[in-house]
Amino acid sequence: MTLTASEYFMLTPAGVLHAFAHPTPDETASALQTLLTGERSLNLAAWTAADPLAPSVLAGALDSGWVQVLHSSLQGPDARLDDFLQHVIASLSGERRAVLASEEGFCLGRTGVDQDEADIVCAAAADYSGFAARQARRGWDGGTRYVSFHRDPEFLLPDHVFMPFWVDGAGYWLILMGEPLLNNPALVELLWGIKQAGTRFATIG
């Protein structure tokens, strides 16, 4: 694999789902997360300066579809915009109805749902966090993965999807109504915005 200094790297949606899937990332996930730490995408030299494991991670990450090569630097999202969360999470739901919750059940952002409905699903997310923690203590980590609910007994399309992820030790739940559209650059933008902000988003009412 031949790379040049003018090539930059960014996570794919699959890379985001892998890198932020656990409260404590392993070395590979941590190196992948580093790609979302700056205001712009990183070339290999900048990525290596931020995480020395980057060169050893790169080939496997490209083969797995976790990282893509860019031929120009990509500007990160402006996480200071008040409407950032509503804009980006709407694109991840087939119904454009979505909520971002903290692990503790606080509503951090919502789109297409009123505050009462958002508070209900955020409280449910907090309950799932407690359930997952209890199951993990019993030796089963399956509860830390995704949760979906269906009205259709054939399980074709979910009514609600709960997706947990962690950024710098803080837990979040992305709650999507209808078809989840996770193979979407908006998922990268969401995690990049949260990572770049460095703190939890204030509640958007």
Side-chain angles (χ1 to χ4, degrees):
M1 178 175 57
T2 302
L3 300 171
T4 68
S6 62
E7 291 178 319
Y8 298 82
F9 301 95
M10 181 47 56
L11 293 182
T12 63
V16 163
L17 291 171
H18 177 77
F20 294 90
H22 299 285
T24 304
D26 61 19
E27 290 183 341
T28 296
S30 182
L32 294 174
Q33 289 188 17
T34 303
L35 287 173
L36 301 186
T37 56
E39 295 182 358
R40 304 190 68 87
S41 53
L42 305 178
N43 60 19
L44 185 56
W47 188 13
T48 303
D51 192 313
L53 287 178
S56 62
V57 165
L58 178 57
L62 288 171
D63 288 343
S64 298
W66 296 336
V67 169
Q68 60 182 317
V69 179
L70 306 174
H71 297 291
S72 60
S73 182
L74 183 67
Q75 176 69 46
D78 186 350
R80 295 168 298 179
L81 295 176
D82 289 342
D83 64 351
F84 171 77
L85 282 179
Q86 289 95 327
H87 166 73
V88 74
I89 65 177
S91 302
L92 299 170
S93 160
E95 297 180 0
R96 298 190 66 82
R97 300 174 64 234
V99 176
L100 181 69
S102 71
E103 193 173 31
E104 296 80 13
F106 294 103
C107 178
L108 304 177
R110 58 185 173 87
T111 185
V113 300
D114 61 29
Q115 189 64 57
D116 288 343
E117 183 179 358
D119 289 341
I120 289 170
V121 295
C122 288
D127 286 343
Y128 297 139
S129 293
F131 169 81
R134 290 193 301 274
Q135 301 311 312
R137 288 194 294 270
R138 293 168 178 164
W140 181 57
D141 66 355
T144 63
R145 307 309 297 152
Y146 313 120
V147 181
S148 63
F149 292 90
H150 302 254
R151 286 196 179 93
D152 180 357
E154 295 182 355
F155 299 99
L156 296 178
L157 284 177
D159 292 303
H160 291 78
V161 170
F162 290 72
M163 188 193 91
F165 62 92
W166 289 265
V167 180
D168 297 329
Y172 298 85
W173 285 89
L174 179 61
I175 305 149
L176 304 173
M177 290 69 164
E179 182 182 4
L181 305 176
L182 296 177
N183 188 24
N184 187 325
L187 184 62
V188 181
E189 187 179 1
L190 172 63
L191 271 293
W192 197 355
I194 295 174
K195 185 77 172 173
Q196 192 175 346
T199 58
R200 296 172 187 240
F201 285 104
T203 299
I204 298 176

